[in-house]
């Protein structure tokens, strides 16, 4: 596993199989472009990944 996948596993990020692959891809790309992103940047990037578990939030 890569560092992002490992972090998801260690921090309980594998809650559903629907959104997890997209979140890992988004997180990897985000950290490549913004190694230390602020909260606004993180929210902006992950807002494009639909999560059915939380009512599409």
């Amino acid at each position: 596993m890569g560092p992002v996948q490992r972090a998801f596993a260690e921090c309980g990020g594998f809650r559903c199989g629907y959104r997890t692959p997209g979140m890992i891809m988004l997180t990897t790309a985000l950290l490549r472009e913004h190694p230390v992103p602020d909260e606004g940047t993180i929210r902006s990037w992950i807002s494009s990944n639909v999560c059915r578990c939380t009512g599409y939030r």
Side-chain angles (χ1 to χ4, degrees):
M1 282 194 286
V4 173
Q5 288 172 309
R6 194 169 28 262
F8 268 69
E10 291 172 1
C11 297
F14 284 99
R15 298 191 185 222
C16 83
Y18 183 79
R19 71 171 170 89
T20 301
M23 290 298 283
I24 290 172
M25 290 170 44
L26 280 168
T27 302
T28 301
L30 166 63
L31 293 174
R32 281 186 184 147
E33 288 198 28
H34 305 278
V36 185
D38 59 37
E39 184 176 338
T41 302
I42 294 167
R43 287 183 180 273
S44 175
W45 274 68
I46 67 170
S47 68
S48 65
N49 194 12
V50 176
C51 178
R52 293 169 36 171
C53 298
T54 60
Y56 299 100
R57 290 182 179 202

